[in-house]
Amino acid sequence: MNKTKQLFAGLILMALGQESARAEYSLNLVKGVTKISNDIYDLHMLTLWICVLIGIVVFGTMFYSIYHHRKDKGHKAEQFHENTTVEIIWTIIPTVILISMAIPATKTMLELDDVQDSDMSIKVTGWQWKWEYDYLDSGIHFFSSLDEASNKARQLDSGIDPRSVSNYLLNVDHPLVIPTNKKIRFVFTAADVIHSWWVPALGWKKDANPGFINEAWTMVEKPGTYRGQCTELCGKDHGFMPIVVVAMDQPDYDAWVKKTQEEAQKGPDLSDQSHDQLVAKGATVYEKNCSTCHLPGGEGVPGAFPALKGSSVVKGDIKAQAEIVLNGKNAMPAFAKMLKADELAAVITYTRNALGNKVGDEIQPKAIQEMLPEGAGASAPAAESSAPKAEAQPAVSEMTKDELIARGKEVYESNCVSCHQAEGQGMPPTFPALTGSPVVTGDIKAQVDLMMNGKGMMPAFGKTLSATDFAAVVTYTRNGLGNAVNDFIQPKEIEAMQ
Ligand code: HEC
Ligand code: HEC
Ligand SMILES: [Cu+2]
């Protein structure tokens, strides 16, 4: 009964165009905060008014004729066919109307698709169930998930009233921060299933498909916080990966970039922790990252997500379990890149000593750090991940081709896969394939040059990789990933060029 009353109240408020305290019942599209979103709004209004006008004219004529020319007044139906004048009029008028709508619509569509001359690019990757943002220019990289308050409240029988949570299901832990008045190009892809990135205030929505790149752009004029959601329909959990965009004026944005880069440099806390500390911290990490699939109590979803409660993997060798959590397995995502070493150690320890399990052991962040591929773990930009390596190897020494290839594979996996993909197949047309690439199979100096200085969206690696890593990855791309050029370059030669 109460529900019905609320519904009626909502409908009445909606009809009156009033805002209720709880939600906005506005009838029209939102205007948004970009030129494009305003253009789209204007286009919508133009078309709406044209339709209203047509409706009034057509129905007006109809009702007028029906009333004034009715039979009891003595009118007789006119019998005419193939009246050329009438046919010409009813062809020309709709054509003119259609053209008058098509011209502004085409203009807006072209503008919507024009990602050229952007000031910066952000790669957006959809994951089950979070978003990953890669700032291709500054190297900033992080994951953005549902905020903790919403996540707690949304659990079945949580006992928390969602109305007591501000921005329920529309808030995240790390928002996407962008500068105002800059043309920002987005490239969209996904790591698992199809997602869809939608912030109404920006005026558009884009699908994020695995193995495929979509593009869009925005330029926000006013600083502010703009909220949106994943609008993919397949699977309820897309409803729990909201999007928050924070637009800041350039000085504030610059300060944010600096702060974020400094934080990333700090890396994970690798100090040893007590068993109880790890378990306590692991509970939070588990709730945020694992409970969607394995469920809060660890009972899993039979047939889809195995139970961790009593799992032979969780009760077995701790290293083997860490291997699965770090590198993933089938539908289980790889967490090596998403969580820091201390968080990984905590959540692994937690699964073994909670959720009905009592193994009694723990793993320390240091042990996890050793298992991570270099450069993964901390959401550190590529620059930081390779810096310590350069220190560990002050003098560049001669290496054999095989040594270079082996090392190059590691460097490739932590610095290049996100764009050129695991097998070097790339994501054409945005990220070229390295397998069979004319650059990789051509002159080695030209390849080194391109990688030193970057090109378009290809970052410059001259300063971010050590001479050894640089030589190794060049050698690897030419002799791995399906290429067999059979040459190599020594770190010394790279050093001379850096
Ligand atoms: C998107 C869903 C999903 C999320 C999120 C997820 N897992 Fe899994 N997990 C799976 C699936 C599916 C498997 C089964 C993999 C297989 O064997 O094919 C699995 C397997 C496991 C296993 C091995 C269990 C066994 O008995 O085989 C462990 C341990 C595990 N996950 C831990 C975690 C931890 C810890 C987290 C959070 C950091 C996590 N998972 C997050 C889907 C998920
Ligand atoms: C942020 C995404 C990104 C990353 C990371 C990246 N690249 Fe690229 N790469 C590109 C793009 C985009 C191009 C195309 C540049 C152009 O021609 O405008 C490219 C081009 C290249 C080319 C020339 C290929 C051709 O056929 O034109 C080579 C070689 C290359 N990259 C190697 C690497 C190596 C090795 C790494 C890792 C050390 C790497 N890239 C990391 C985006 C990336
Ligand atoms: Cu989604």
Side-chain angles (χ1 to χ4, degrees):
M1 194 56 222
N2 230 350
K3 281 250 167 72
T4 326
K5 263 195 215 151
Q6 274 178 18
L7 184 69
F8 273 107
L11 283 173
I12 290 165
L13 284 170
M14 209 163 105
L16 296 175
Q18 299 221 340
E19 281 178 17
S20 118
R22 212 175 280 153
E24 277 185 42
Y25 291 100
S26 77
L27 272 181
N28 212 341
L29 299 183
V30 293
K31 268 198 158 177
V33 293
T34 62
K35 181 178 170 295
I36 279 282
S37 68
N38 278 277
D39 286 354
I40 293 171
Y41 180 87
D42 292 345
L43 206 57
H44 158 73
M45 290 316 289
L46 173 75
T47 313
L48 177 73
W49 286 123
I50 290 177
C51 291
V52 168
L53 212 68
I54 294 175
I56 291 174
V57 171
V58 170
F59 283 104
T61 313
M62 227 167 82
F63 288 131
Y64 175 85
S65 313
I66 291 171
Y67 186 75
H68 285 280
H69 302 151
R70 61 188 189 275
K71 199 174 175 185
D72 69 1
K73 268 193 167 180
H75 284 287
K76 270 219 172 101
E78 196 84 49
Q79 299 293 335
F80 60 83
H81 286 279
E82 297 183 13
N83 182 318
T84 316
T85 322
V86 171
E87 280 177 7
I88 289 178
I89 291 174
W90 79 38
T91 308
I92 288 182
I93 293 180
T95 309
V96 170
I97 295 173
L98 279 180
I99 291 175
S100 73
M101 293 194 289
I103 291 174
T106 310
K107 259 197 208 148
T108 306
M109 294 286 281
L110 289 176
E111 204 181 334
L112 196 57
D113 265 349
D114 179 12
V115 295
Q116 289 172 58
D117 302 323
S118 57
D119 298 305
M120 59 184 275
S121 298
I122 300 177
K123 178 161 167 256
V124 181
T125 310
W127 292 78
Q128 290 167 318
W129 308 100
K130 52 173 83 85
W131 294 100
E132 178 186 9
Y133 298 112
D134 263 308
Y135 292 63
L136 298 181
D137 316 68
S138 55
I140 290 178
H141 164 258
F142 56 88
F143 286 86
S144 177
S145 333
L146 185 64
D147 73 311
E148 229 173 293
S150 294
N151 198 29
K152 283 220 172 88
R154 81 179 177 99
Q155 305 299 331
L156 203 59
D157 304 323
S158 69
I160 302 170
D161 182 357
R163 281 168 295 192
S164 69
V165 178
S166 70
N167 292 305
Y168 178 58
L169 297 186
L170 285 174
N171 211 0
V172 296
D173 52 357
H174 303 295
L176 174 70
V177 178
I178 57 169
T180 49
N181 295 309
K182 283 275 149 68
K183 181 164 181 179
I184 298 157
R185 170 180 181 232
F186 293 100
V187 290
F188 292 94
T189 188
D192 35 47
V193 297
I194 301 176
H195 299 270
S196 187
W197 201 88
W198 182 47
V199 177
L202 304 187
W204 45 260
K205 174 196 283 190
K206 241 339 159 209
D207 270 1
N209 300 328
F212 190 85
I213 293 265
N214 275 332
E215 290 178 303
W217 67 273
T218 197
M219 178 142 88
V220 177
E221 278 149 32
K222 232 176 60 206
T225 301
Y226 309 110
R227 296 176 195 278
Q229 284 161 302
C230 177
T231 46
E232 198 51 57
L233 274 178
C234 54
K236 67 175 174 43
D237 284 304
H238 292 287
F240 305 114
M241 44 186 294
I243 299 155
V244 180
V245 175
V246 176
M248 294 180 178
D249 284 332
Q250 193 69 39
D252 295 335
Y253 174 76
D254 291 339
W256 175 83
V257 168
K258 197 159 161 262
K259 196 180 111 232
T260 312
Q261 282 174 335
E262 277 166 10
E263 264 165 31
Q265 242 164 17
K266 269 192 242 139
D269 175 11
L270 292 181
S271 58
D272 278 357
Q273 292 170 40
S274 75
H275 183 85
D276 293 341
Q277 273 174 330
L278 285 167
V279 173
K281 185 164 176 210
T284 326
V285 181
Y286 181 85
E287 204 173 289
K288 201 171 138 195
N289 295 282
C290 323
S291 62
T292 39
C293 296
H294 295 292
L295 298 198
E299 60 273 31
V301 180
F305 307 119
L308 299 186
K309 191 185 212 154
S311 144
S312 56
V313 173
V314 176
K315 290 161 92 180
D317 179 37
I318 196 162
K319 279 265 159 77
Q321 181 193 345
E323 202 71 44
I324 291 186
V325 176
L326 262 53
N327 305 320
K329 188 175 167 193
N330 304 322
M332 162 81 184
F335 282 93
K337 231 177 86 184
M338 283 187 237
L339 297 176
K340 294 187 182 154
D342 49 336
E343 293 169 320
L344 286 162
V347 77
I348 291 167
T349 306
Y350 174 77
T351 57
R352 299 172 76 83
N353 298 286
L355 309 172
N357 298 324
K358 256 205 194 103
V359 189
D361 61 355
E362 75 264 324
I363 191 162
Q364 291 293 349
K366 255 196 219 113
I368 296 287
Q369 187 70 12
E370 278 162 20
M371 296 174 73
L372 290 173
E374 282 178 83
S379 46
E384 272 69 53
S385 59
S386 49
K389 252 184 289 169
E391 275 161 34
Q393 283 233 338
V396 296
S397 44
E398 291 272 314
M399 289 166 85
T400 67
K401 185 167 146 229
D402 289 340
E403 280 169 350
L404 285 166
I405 293 175
R407 180 161 189 156
K409 185 162 188 295
E410 281 173 31
V411 180
Y412 183 83
E413 273 159 13
S414 46
N415 292 284
C416 324
V417 276
S418 63
C419 298
H420 294 294
Q421 304 294 294
E423 315 285 325
Q425 73 272 35
M427 291 188 187
T430 311
F431 303 120
L434 298 187
T435 310
S437 141
V439 174
V440 177
T441 53
D443 178 32
I444 196 165
K445 284 271 155 64
Q447 181 186 348
V448 170
D449 212 50
L450 184 147
M451 287 174 49
M452 279 270 169
N453 305 314
K455 184 175 169 196
M457 278 172 62
M458 162 79 183
F461 283 98
K463 289 211 184 83
T464 56
L465 290 180
S466 69
T468 311
D469 285 345
F470 198 107
V473 77
V474 171
T475 306
Y476 173 69
T477 57
R478 300 175 74 86
N479 299 282
L481 307 173
N483 296 322
V485 188
N486 212 12
D487 61 356
F488 64 101
I489 191 159
Q490 283 294 350
K492 239 194 242 138
E493 294 173 67
I494 299 291
E495 202 180 34
M497 292 167 77
Q498 274 175 332

